[in-house]
């Protein structure tokens, strides 16, 4: 047996001296019979100090220990034993294997204290992590460095059993995590998960605390659900905690919010923002040609809203959206821009096909719409724009369609108009007008005055104020070039307010010079809606000092018909103040005569179009139609004014019909304020009877 290095010469070397594990033999009495070099080092004694000694005496800590018990059992049954043994005197762990032999037992052992304590620490950490995972409300797994599941929490097991199809179990400890997730993820999402997880498992440097996230959808027994997966590496050993948080409610709330952002609350149709997105997509698709937008604006819908109420109006808008949707081709979209405007996005059509679609959309308005028990006829003006090679911007195309719609609106109700480049110029002009009217344009406005002449004496009774714009680049502009835009934008109200101040001041100034001229001023229906007309008139009269009966407010019959009740209330107040009220352009609208004459009207102005119509239909007796109208006005105590007198025949006809007053280029052109006194003086010197001069073919003094 080995007894150190001082062997007699010729003695064979110990064959176990090179074995790294400690080896010793005990006889059947428990005494040391052999030790190799490793055993000497591990036990801390030379062989000659231990051979023949009882192991329990040499190492008292063995008495009653697991090692003694295992050794005794090996001697009793001859079966080998393997176990871990904590030797208290040295406070270290050893791995021990005991084999029976004829003379006792052979023992192999090694110091595993470092490894055992590391394993214990790992197990402790694992138990602590498992406890933490169990406390988490979200389904959670702990994945080892080999990608296999080390531990799961209760939420993971419960969710798996609840959501996965029958017979399929959630991933369990020992199973490959990625393999288990194939059952829940789409292939693309699974690839993302595999890439992210492997980066955490394989990158050992500075990896603690690194994480990655992934949102994914999963089809379950409860339908489609959404989860947020968060994987975090927790230690240098490469373990990763993966949580799966149910975010279905958040996703659905987000999708609902996104839907609301992109759709109209009232009709459920795509809104302007969504329409522009869809149009941009269509324009950007190379394989699609002939993208068209059709803008529909309901005619006179404001009147419907004001007369029937917004609840009925809202229901009508929903019905319109539904009917338009029924007329669409597959793949086309109808959206609501806002207010009473809708727009259709059409694919694959040229200008002719887009126009055909527009006319088909008009059929949606062929039948009245029924809201509750109310049947309401509606029509729409439609503008059509088809994308061209140079138009690849959704805003640009919508602007073109809007310009075409405006042209359709301007040409009358229930019309279809195709876009042309000239309309873009018109739209740019409207934008310039709207911008300048909000700026300094009101300081560039001037007033021209056209004489109003008495037909019985030919004397000048008054003047009508006609506003002009002295544009810095375009020169003097007629009212029809900018007042319609002022109406749309609401700038007509400050313009009219300025006009009232300017004209009443000028009329008062002329009166002081002995020229008593009634001042006629046109007023927009917008002023009725704003309900500032009465105040604005009072302020103008007060500041100028002009008597109220010298001011005539002219309103078109269509403007009054838009809101007759509001108009009647305000006009009644003005009439009590002494202000005269005239209905302008009579014969161009479709108002009820009974409703019209119920207003406090003092004057009715007969439009020139009615003169032309009378000439055509009355042939031999051209004055009969006009005479009937004038007779009706006189019965009601209303004065009549014939407009548009341009020929001696016009003059003869209106005088024969019995009209009270007349105006027109035959009798006097519109003129600047400083020209009026001079012109009146020239008329006076020529005899003072403008009608007689015109009837005789004499040239009325120039007003220009």
């Amino acid at each position: 047996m080995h007894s150190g290095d001082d062997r007699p010469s010729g003695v064979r070397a110990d064959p176990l001296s090179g074995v790294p594990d400690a080896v010793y033999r005990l006889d059947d009495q428990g005494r040391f019979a052999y030790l190799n070099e490793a055993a000497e080092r591990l036990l801390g004694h030379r062989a000659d100090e231990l051979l023949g000694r009882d192991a329990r005496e040499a190492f008292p800590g063995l008495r009653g220990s697991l090692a003694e018990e295992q050794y005794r059992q090996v001697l009793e049954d001859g079966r080998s034993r393997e176990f871990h043994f904590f030797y208290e005197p040295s406070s270290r762990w050893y791995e021990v294997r005991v084999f029976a032999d004829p003379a006792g037992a052979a023992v192999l052992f090694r110091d595993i204290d470092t490894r055992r304590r590391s394993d214990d620490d790992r197990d402790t950490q694992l138990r602590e992590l498992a406890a933490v995972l169990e406390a988490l409300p979200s389904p959670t797994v702990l994945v080892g460095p080999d990608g296999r599941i080390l531990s799961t929490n209760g939420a993971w097991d419960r969710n798996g059993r609840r959501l996965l199809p029958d017979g399929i179990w959630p991933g369990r400890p020992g199973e490959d995590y990625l393999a288990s997730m194939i059952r829940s993820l789409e292939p693309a999402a699974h690839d993302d998960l595999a890439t992210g997880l492997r980066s955490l498992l394989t990158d050992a440097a500075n990896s603690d605390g690194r994480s990655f996230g992934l949102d994914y959808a999963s089809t379950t027994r409860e339908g489609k659900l959404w989860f947020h997966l968060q994987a975090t590496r927790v230690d240098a050993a490469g373990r990763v905690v993966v949580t799966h948080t149910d975010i279905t409610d958040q996703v659905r709330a987000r999708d609902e919010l996104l839907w609301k952002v992109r759709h109209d609350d009232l009709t459920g149709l795509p809104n302007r923002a969504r329409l522009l997105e869809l149009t941009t997509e269509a324009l950007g698709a190379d394989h699609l040609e002939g993208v068209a937008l059709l803008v529909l604006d309901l005619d006179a819908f404001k009147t419907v809203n004001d007369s029937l109420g917004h609840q009925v109006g809202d229901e009508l808008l929903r019905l319109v959206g539904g009917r338009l949707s029924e007329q669409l081709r597959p793949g086309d979209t109808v959206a609501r821009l806002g207010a009473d405007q809708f727009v259709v996005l059409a694919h694959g059509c040229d200008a002719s096909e887009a126009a055909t679609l527009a006319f088909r959309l008009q059929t949606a308005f062929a039948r009245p719409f029924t809201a509750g028990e109310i049947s309401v006829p509606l029509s729409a003006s439609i503008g059509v724009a088809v994308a061209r090679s140079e138009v690849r911007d959704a805003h640009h195309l919508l602007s073109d369609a809007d310009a075409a719609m405006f042209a359709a609106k301007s040409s009358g109700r229930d019309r279809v108009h195709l876009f042309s480049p000239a309309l873009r110029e018109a739209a740019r002009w409207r934008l310039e007008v709207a911008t300048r009217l909000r700026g300094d344009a009101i300081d560039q406005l001037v007033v021209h005055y056209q004489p109003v002449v008495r037909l019985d004496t030919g004397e000048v009774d008054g003047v009508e104020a006609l506003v002009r714009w002295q544009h810095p680049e375009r020169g003097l502009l007629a009212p029809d070039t900018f007042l319609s835009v002022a109406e749309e934008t609401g700038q007509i109200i400050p313009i009219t307010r300025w006009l009232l101040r300017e004209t009443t001041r000028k009329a008062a100034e002329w009166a002081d010079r002995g020229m008593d001229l009634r001042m006629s001023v046109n007023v927009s229906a917008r002023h009725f809606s704003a309900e500032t007309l009465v105040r604005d008139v009072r302020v103008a009269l007060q500041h100028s000092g002009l008597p109220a009966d010298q001011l005539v407010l002219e309103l078109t019959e269509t403007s009054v018909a838009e809101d007759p009740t509001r108009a009647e209330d305000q006009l009644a107040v003005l009439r009590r103040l002494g202000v005269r009220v005239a209905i302008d352009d009579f014969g161009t609208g479709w108002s009820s005569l009974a409703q019209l004459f119920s207003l406090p009207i003092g004057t009715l102005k007969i439009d020139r179009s009615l003169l032309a119509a009378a000439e055509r239909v009355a042939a031999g007796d051209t004055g009969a139609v006009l005479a009937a109208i004038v007779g009706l006005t006189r019965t009601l105590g209303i004065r009549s004014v014939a407009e548009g007198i341009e020929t001696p025949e016009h003059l003869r006809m209106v005088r024969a019909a019995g009209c009270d007053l007349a105006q027109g280029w035959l009798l006097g052109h519109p003129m600047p304020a400083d020209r009026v006194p001079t012109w009146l003086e020239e008329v006076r010197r020529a005899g003072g009877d403008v009608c007689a001069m015109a009837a005789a073919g004499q040239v009325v003094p120039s007003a220009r």
Side-chain angles (χ1 to χ4, degrees):
M1 293 298 173
H2 177 64
S3 59
D5 294 328
D6 51 347
R7 297 185 296 270
S9 59
V11 177
R12 185 168 58 87
D14 182 0
L16 298 181
S17 63
V19 175
D21 289 339
V23 180
Y24 64 85
R25 289 182 62 252
L26 299 176
D27 62 17
D28 57 0
Q29 300 300 314
R31 295 171 295 198
F32 284 103
Y34 166 80
L35 296 91
N36 70 351
E37 293 179 6
E40 289 179 299
R41 290 192 298 273
L42 199 58
L43 294 176
H45 295 277
R46 293 176 57 83
D48 57 6
E49 296 173 348
L50 296 177
L51 291 175
R53 292 184 64 187
D54 189 297
R56 290 167 295 187
E57 293 178 356
F59 299 96
L62 294 176
R63 293 185 180 276
S65 68
L66 174 65
E68 182 184 27
E69 175 62 23
Q70 294 293 319
Y71 174 71
R72 185 185 59 77
Q73 290 182 6
V74 168
L75 293 181
E76 289 178 355
D77 59 21
R79 294 171 56 192
S80 62
R81 299 287 193 279
E82 181 176 346
F83 57 92
H84 289 182
F85 170 60
F86 182 72
Y87 186 54
E88 291 187 1
S90 62
S91 296
R92 300 188 69 81
W93 282 94
Y94 298 91
E95 181 181 81
V96 182
R97 285 178 288 174
V98 182
F99 304 91
D101 76 12
V107 180
L108 282 73
F109 69 106
R110 66 178 65 170
D111 187 327
I112 61 168
D113 190 75
T114 301
R115 189 187 76 189
R116 175 61 184 256
R117 292 184 186 277
S118 176
D119 289 346
D120 288 347
D121 289 344
R122 183 192 62 208
D123 292 343
T124 300
Q125 291 176 8
L126 190 60
R127 285 193 299 273
E128 291 174 350
L129 276 173
V132 172
L133 300 188
E134 189 62 34
L136 294 176
S138 300
T140 306
V141 297
L142 179 64
V143 179
D146 59 355
R148 295 189 176 277
I149 298 174
L150 297 176
S151 178
T152 65
N153 68 352
W156 170 268
D157 298 330
R158 291 190 298 273
N159 259 36
R161 289 192 296 270
R162 177 171 61 89
L163 300 178
L164 291 176
D166 292 336
I168 297 180
W169 290 87
R172 306 181 201 179
E175 184 178 351
D176 185 274
Y177 170 70
L178 290 176
S180 72
M181 290 301 294
I182 289 177
R183 298 188 284 263
S184 302
L185 270 68
E186 296 292 332
H190 190 272
D191 290 344
D192 292 342
L193 172 60
T195 300
L197 183 63
R198 285 168 185 155
S199 71
L200 296 182
L201 294 175
T202 57
D203 185 5
N206 301 319
S207 58
D208 290 5
R210 281 201 314 115
S211 66
F212 84 94
L214 173 69
D215 290 344
Y216 68 91
S218 181
T219 301
T220 72
R221 287 192 292 184
E222 296 182 2
K224 194 170 187 178
L225 302 179
W226 284 264
F227 295 89
H228 174 70
L229 180 152
Q230 187 74 27
T232 304
R233 181 159 169 162
V234 295
D235 56 25
R239 288 178 294 191
V240 174
V241 170
V242 187
T243 59
H244 300 254
T245 304
D246 189 333
I247 58 170
T248 302
D249 290 342
Q250 296 95 305
V251 170
R252 288 173 179 168
R254 182 194 64 199
D255 290 347
E256 182 179 354
L257 179 60
L258 182 60
W259 190 93
K260 289 181 177 180
V261 168
R262 292 178 165 185
H263 290 77
D264 173 53
D265 287 341
L266 180 63
T267 62
L269 297 174
N271 59 14
R272 181 188 183 90
R274 182 56 178 157
L275 169 77
L276 290 172
E277 287 180 359
L278 295 172
T279 305
T280 298
E281 292 171 5
L283 292 173
D286 294 335
H287 65 285
L288 284 178
E289 296 181 356
V291 177
L293 289 181
L294 295 82
V295 174
L296 298 90
D297 187 278
L298 302 184
D299 297 320
F301 193 75
K302 181 179 183 301
T303 303
V304 174
N305 253 345
D306 291 344
S307 58
L308 300 180
H310 288 278
Q311 185 174 357
V312 172
D314 289 349
E315 178 60 23
L316 290 174
L317 290 172
R318 283 190 286 267
L319 293 173
V320 169
R323 283 206 198 167
L324 291 176
S325 298
E326 294 171 359
Q327 298 296 325
L328 296 185
R329 307 170 309 164
D332 292 347
T333 303
V334 61
R336 183 182 177 219
L337 288 185
D340 55 1
Q341 283 193 352
F342 295 81
V343 61
V344 171
L345 168 62
H347 301 273
C349 57
D350 56 20
S352 176
E353 292 167 326
T356 300
L357 175 59
F359 289 122
R360 186 164 78 245
L361 292 175
Q362 281 189 314
T363 63
F365 300 90
R367 294 176 290 108
F369 293 81
T370 302
E373 298 180 354
I374 302 174
S375 180
V376 182
L378 294 176
S379 63
S381 299
I382 305 177
V384 181
V386 179
R388 302 173 304 285
S389 57
E390 70 273 18
V391 178
R392 309 305 296 175
D393 178 76
H395 291 85
H396 190 167
L397 186 60
L398 181 58
S399 176
D400 288 350
D402 192 62
M405 182 279 296
F406 185 84
K409 203 80 167 174
S410 300
S411 61
R413 298 181 178 184
D414 199 18
R415 303 290 179 89
V416 173
H417 204 103
L418 293 175
F419 173 79
S420 66
L423 292 179
R424 184 180 297 117
E425 292 304 316
R428 288 173 180 167
W429 168 243
R430 289 200 306 276
L431 177 60
E432 179 186 346
V433 170
T435 302
R436 292 205 176 195
L437 288 178
R438 288 187 174 91
D440 59 356
I442 199 164
D443 297 328
Q444 299 164 1
L445 298 180
V446 296
V447 185
H448 284 195
Y449 300 88
Q450 184 173 36
V452 178
V453 179
R454 289 183 56 165
L455 289 175
D456 57 350
T457 65
E459 296 176 353
V460 179
D461 183 77
V463 291
E464 179 182 358
L466 303 171
V467 68
R468 303 285 191 267
W469 183 2
Q470 190 65 54
H471 194 281
E473 291 89 27
R474 297 178 179 241
L476 191 65
L477 301 180
D480 57 0
T481 62
F482 63 91
L483 285 186
S484 60
V485 179
E487 284 275 1
E488 293 174 27
T489 61
Q491 291 302 304
I492 193 67
I493 294 175
I495 289 176
T496 305
R497 189 175 294 131
W498 170 85
L499 185 61
L500 285 168
R501 293 197 303 267
E502 178 68 17
T503 55
T504 53
R505 182 188 63 79
K506 184 57 65 176
E509 177 187 317
W510 288 334
D512 290 341
R513 297 169 58 181
M515 295 177 288
D516 291 326
L517 298 174
R518 283 196 177 89
M519 181 62 69
S520 297
V521 179
N522 290 278
V523 178
S524 164
R526 281 268 192 163
H527 236 111
F528 290 129
S529 301
E531 296 188 344
T532 63
L533 180 60
V534 173
R535 183 190 64 192
D536 293 337
V537 169
R538 278 177 168 162
V539 170
L541 291 174
Q542 182 179 8
H543 287 180
S544 66
L546 183 71
D549 61 356
Q550 289 296 95
L551 176 63
V552 181
L553 299 182
E554 296 189 2
L555 308 100
T556 63
E557 57 174 312
T558 50
S559 69
V560 172
E562 287 185 13
D563 195 345
T565 302
R566 187 176 291 176
E568 183 177 356
D569 291 343
Q570 295 177 65
L571 293 178
V573 174
L574 292 170
R575 196 72 181 90
R576 287 195 294 271
L577 292 175
V579 176
R580 297 171 181 263
V581 178
I583 295 298
D584 195 11
D585 298 337
F586 178 76
T588 62
W590 300 95
S591 58
S592 162
L593 284 177
Q595 183 184 72
L596 191 63
F597 291 133
S598 68
L599 297 172
I601 299 170
T603 304
L604 190 71
K605 300 189 74 172
I606 301 170
D607 188 71
R608 71 185 64 189
S609 63
L610 199 55
L611 298 183
E615 285 182 309
R616 289 195 302 271
V617 302
D621 186 7
T622 54
V625 175
L626 290 178
I629 295 174
V630 172
L632 179 59
T633 60
R634 283 186 172 170
T635 300
L636 297 170
I638 297 173
R639 293 203 309 170
S640 57
V641 181
E643 295 183 285
I645 306 302
E646 298 178 357
T647 67
E649 178 58 27
H650 286 163
L651 180 59
R652 186 202 64 77
M653 185 167 58
V654 297
R655 294 183 80 174
C659 288
D660 299 305
L661 304 165
Q663 66 184 98
W665 279 34
L666 182 69
L667 304 174
H669 290 224
M671 65 192 81
D674 59 0
R675 176 75 175 119
V676 172
T678 305
W679 183 82
L680 288 173
E681 179 59 24
E682 291 172 354
V683 169
R684 186 189 64 76
R685 287 200 301 265
D689 188 343
V690 177
C691 294
M693 295 167 62
Q698 299 177 17
V699 178
V700 175
S702 175
R704 288 175 290 180

